[in-house]
Amino acid sequence: MHVPDGFINAPVSAAAGVVAAGAVAAGLRGARRELDERTAPLAGLVAAFIFAVQMLNFPVAAGTSGHLLGGALAAILVGPWTGVLCIAVVLLMQGILFADGGLTALGVNITVMGVVTVVVAYALFRGLVLVLPRTRRSVTVASFAAALASVPAAAAVFTLVYAIGGTTDVPVSKVLTAMVGVHVLIGVGEAVITMLTVGAVVAVRPDLVYGARGLTAPLKLRVDGELVDAAPAAAPAAGGSPRKLWIGGVVTALLLAGFVSFYASASPDGLEKVAADQGIDKNVEEHAAADSPLADYGVKGIEAPRLSGGLAGAIGVGATLAVGTGAFWVVRRRKTAALEA
């Protein structure tokens, strides 16, 4: 759902940029409460993983594909404030390095793909975990529903932005129907990916999943005919270093971006398909980074498509990991400095 330059006029793009900048600023403050010495490096990993999975377009209908937006996944794994920052880092790397998503439309993309998805997903997620049994399974079930709802919500907000500042005269009702319709289907894929990823992390390190904190029901023992809470067992994994999870996540992201992405669907994604069908792409502009050596997720000068795309994906994962991890460490250090002051 990367909005290119030219879909939205300059005043509305600028206003969306102000909204996005405010959201990022709020995220930087809020992330200080969410990150600690163990989760700060994982936030960078989440950004890199989302970058990798976004390269894996999956078919949703004839001639249409979809990809992960990632707001729900980021919010559940590392918290909503940090989640907004994760998506912002991914979109920044995609726009600057790969000419994916317009630079003047960066504010629109952060608002739609980052802020809206995180807010909708995490609000629904928290509401569900409050009413569901306090178990790890409830976390995965809630993550599915939250991710599913976040995608058509983002599509609806894009339509609202288009209604205010669209550069073509296509009826808004047509855009809304087409956008929400196809993104409901994409939301199913988003929900499955989010549920599987959250479930996998919860299974091995539930203490590192922000949305799972305090939700696991304690082990019960029957003593003299009554059920009582068992004393918590000493679990090295629960309080130890997240290094194994970090290494495994990096390797997985590199494999997805560097190898599996070659087999992704080549069909246009939901927004591209709707734009072409409805004619809202008439005024699309050439990307400012079109001459980037990594534009269109390939390394210029390398003729072999598999090698070119795989190397570009690996570079993207590395760059996103480095920028994300660096940013989150700075946030974490500021929190430490504030506490020591």
Side-chain angles (χ1 to χ4, degrees), residues 66-78:
H67 63 73
L68 182 82
L69 298 187
L73 179 61
I76 295 167
L77 289 180
V78 292

Side-chain angles (χ1 to χ4, degrees), residues 261-318:
S261 63
F262 184 78
Y263 301 98
S265 173
S267 299
D269 69 16
L271 176 58
E272 292 172 329
K273 179 66 172 174
V274 171
D277 289 348
Q278 302 297 328
I280 65 176
D281 60 351
K282 294 177 182 178
N283 297 320
V284 67
E285 301 172 3
E286 184 180 19
H287 200 286
D291 294 329
S292 167
L294 297 173
D296 298 322
Y297 297 92
V299 179
K300 289 187 177 179
I302 298 180
E303 299 299 328
R306 188 188 299 268
L307 178 60
S308 177
L311 184 57
I315 292 172
V317 168

Side-chain angles (χ1 to χ4, degrees), residues 48-49 51-53 55-56 93 97-98 250-262 294 297-299 302 305-322:
F49 182 79
F51 173 91
V53 180
M55 294 182 66
L56 308 180
M93 293 296 99
L97 298 180
F98 299 93
V250 171
V251 171
T252 301
L254 288 171
L255 286 174
L256 292 175
F259 178 73
V260 180
S261 63
F262 184 78
L294 297 173
Y297 297 92
V299 179
I302 298 180
R306 188 188 299 268
L307 178 60
S308 177
L311 184 57
I315 292 172
V317 168
T320 305
L321 180 65

Side-chain angles (χ1 to χ4, degrees), residues 1-5 91-92 94-96 98-106 109 113 272 287-289 297:
M1 197 191 290
H2 295 75
V3 180
D5 296 324
L91 292 170
L92 182 64
Q94 291 170 333
I96 293 176
F98 299 93
D100 188 10
L103 294 184
T104 62
L106 182 60
N109 284 318
M113 296 177 63
E272 292 172 329
H287 200 286
Y297 297 92

Side-chain angles (χ1 to χ4, degrees), residues 116-207:
V116 173
T117 57
V118 166
V119 170
V120 171
Y122 198 71
L124 180 56
F125 175 83
R126 291 303 304 171
L128 288 173
V129 296
L130 289 175
V131 299
L132 292 173
R134 298 172 66 83
T135 65
R136 297 176 185 177
R137 181 174 298 179
S138 296
V139 173
T140 59
V141 171
S143 69
F144 180 93
L148 177 61
S150 69
V151 178
V157 171
F158 164 77
T159 305
L160 175 62
V161 174
Y162 172 79
I164 300 171
T167 58
T168 56
D169 57 358
V170 179
V172 174
S173 59
K174 288 187 176 181
V175 178
L176 178 63
T177 300
M179 282 293 291
V180 173
V182 72
H183 283 89
V184 167
L185 299 177
I186 295 173
V188 175
E190 175 109 8
V192 171
I193 294 170
T194 301
M195 179 185 67
L196 292 177
T197 305
V198 170
V201 180
V202 165
V204 295
R205 289 299 301 266
D207 59 303

